[in-house]
Amino acid sequence: MIKQYEIKLPRFGRGFHLITGIIEKTLADLPEQGIVHLFLRHTSAALTINENADPDVPRDMQYAIDKLVPENDPGYIHTIEGPDDMPAHMKSSLLSVSLNIPITNGRMNLGTWQGVYLCEFRNHGGSRKLTATIYS
Amino acid sequence: MIKQYEIKLPRFGRGFHLITGIIEKTLADLPEQGIVHLFLRHTSAALTINENADPDVPRDMQYAIDKLVPENDPGYIHTIEGPDDMPAHMKSSLLSVSLNIPITNGRMNLGTWQGVYLCEFRNHGGSRKLTATIYS
Amino acid sequence: MIKQYEIKLPRFGRGFHLITGIIEKTLADLPEQGIVHLFLRHTSAALTINENADPDVPRDMQYAIDKLVPENDPGYIHTIEGPDDMPAHMKSSLLSVSLNIPITNGRMNLGTWQGVYLCEFRNHGGSRKLTATIYS
């Protein structure tokens, strides 16, 4: 059985934002067992799973990815949309736009410390949309 | 319901190659709702989703990944297959060999700017094979 | 049809460890066609697919990821759990905690050279748990 939902996220600033709560609230009626697939329909943001407890972790994640893929690299050609644009594309591919999470006993079966993050790589990315597909 | 297809891609040179059209053509008969899973059966290439419009984006993606994982690093031991080999393995894990894309209204539900790329990391990688699994 | 298994991996040291055999042994009774989803329930380790033959490849993968995300970066704030902790979170997001592998003719349809790796990024990570979900 397949169920699909379109989720419109609030507008987030550049950075890593915990959205586990938004996902759980939207997908309230989960089957006993299955998979949730989350797919972000954008090319300069990403979804990832990481530590959900200490806010320093998403802060440091942003620091680390910005350092890994620096802006204003003179090697870039695709620069017309601003210095944050091409690095955002690269970061989106590195972290990816899709996540699969198992459903067990009617809940997303994340580890104790795992949370779902929206990674916004643009300075002014606007509201992002994702498609959630549940199969069971 | 599960359907599976083996797709043999044309021989591509090193770089990022848009293959959305090849995938859509091969998987012509999609269900109304579901998921397409694409799995590349190789360890020195990858699949990724990124901007489908400006050809400078895949050019810059290649530049950025080559810079991130440089060749001829004296720390590598696995060098017998040439300087492009070990970096290709690392890039394959960074971008990954598998993609899940939702199907909505009988079509792959990619965002407006999203396309599927084969990332060929070898200088002479030959033809690559992928397994597409559709579940609905 | 959905089947789910909890797999407790042996305690591995820091590095890349081939676990294809453990997965195949645990998921012995696979359907003819489908998908295996593997989900690691931790935030400082990852799963990846890479070359299964030459042990220098996982050695070099570890070298490359350690170089990409170095320890003792003075930019990190989240340092209380030791110098290997924050880099481990970043590496976990870069390589990801989940894999989808097609099942064809009753077997995981990996390419000839593909193996499943547990990537342990902590010096003393302990035993890791993963949830395997099979759908067919």
Side-chain angles (χ1 to χ4, degrees), chain A residues 33 35 48-50 54 56-57 59-61 63 67-68 94-95 100 102-104 109-110 113-114 135, chain C residues 2 4 37 39-43 68 73 75-78 86 89-90 93-94 98 100 131 133 135:
Chain A
Q33 222 174 33
I35 300 266
T48 199
I49 289 174
N50 223 296
D54 180 356
D56 289 344
V57 171
R59 213 276 342 180
D60 283 1
M61 292 287 294
Y63 163 78
K67 197 178 166 194
L68 212 54
L94 282 173
L95 296 193
N100 281 285
I103 303 165
T104 309
N109 192 2
L110 294 163
W113 304 105
Q114 288 182 314
Y135 34 103
Chain C
I2 302 270
Q4 234 170 32
H37 176 240
F39 186 81
L40 190 70
R41 299 174 57 223
H42 303 272
T43 62
L68 211 54
D73 187 314
Y76 290 137
I77 294 173
H78 178 83
M86 191 55 226
H89 289 309
M90 182 61 186
S93 278
L94 282 174
S98 112
N100 282 285
T131 302
T133 306
Y135 34 101

Side-chain angles (χ1 to χ4, degrees), chain B residues 4 7 10 31-32 35 38-39 46 63-64 69 74 79-80 96 98 117 125:
Chain B
Q4 234 171 31
I7 302 177
E32 268 302 288
I35 300 266
L38 303 175
F39 186 81
Y63 164 79
V69 188
T79 54
I80 199 167
S96 103
S98 112
Y117 282 92

